Amino acid sequence: MRRLNKKGAAHFEMIVSFVLFVGFIFFLLIFIRPYGTTTLSGSVVLTLFDSFEERAHTNLTRIFLKANNVGGGGCFYVNLPSEMFGYELTKSLVRGVDDNERNSKMVGEELSIDATDEFYKVAISPDFDNDVLPTCTELMGFTLGSVVEQRAISYRRLEEMNALYDSNYEKLKEDLNFPEAFDFSIVSLDLPDIVMQGVVPDTGEIVAQDYVEEVLFENGTMINARFTLKVW
């Protein structure tokens, strides 16, 4: 009888353990939902942002220039030493200390400025447009300040993406390496003209994430803009 009691107790313990194990599995499936798509969608949003930032970014270089050109006239140019810069020297936007723009042009390592100021704030980026200048003479006496280089979101490229979203959404998805099984939108309340968004479904799971990025305009202005990326 003792042996039978021990066997019965062992069977009872196995049954209780099995019930507890099954209950734990049901708890995971119902409440934690390891089979759900939230984690997958969240990773897709992050991947979308990385692709978006890579496609929309631009390079910006800023430097302070002192030109020993007091009393001089006409257009002058200086040769910027390329070894000082990590980014390619592309197009320029130059302002005086009064923050008014001066006509300028960047060709190779030659920065041309049509002005007679002594101090200039120089910005270099492929998003700028070179001015048409008269014949310039080389200026040997000049001093450069520290070089500041950064990445920023290009407003020009945002406009291109926005137009492509409306005209060829599938092509934009392909360019961004975005999965065919999902759809996405990119909007910014700080940039009301940038609305990459179609019809967002009323039902189903929608995962959204906000990102704040610096945006560079063609006139050299920069703002912090909040972008909302949605995936469904």
Side-chain angles (χ1 to χ4, degrees), residues 99-112:
D99 279 332
N100 291 324
E101 188 176 345
R102 306 292 192 261
N103 289 335
S104 68
K105 179 173 65 175
M106 189 86 221
V107 178
E109 296 179 7
E110 289 186 5
L111 171 64
S112 300

Side-chain angles (χ1 to χ4, degrees), residues 25-40:
I25 295 298
F26 272 108
F27 172 80
L28 290 178
L29 293 176
I30 294 174
F31 294 99
I32 300 181
R33 298 196 305 166
Y35 57 87
T37 59
T38 300
T39 301
L40 176 61

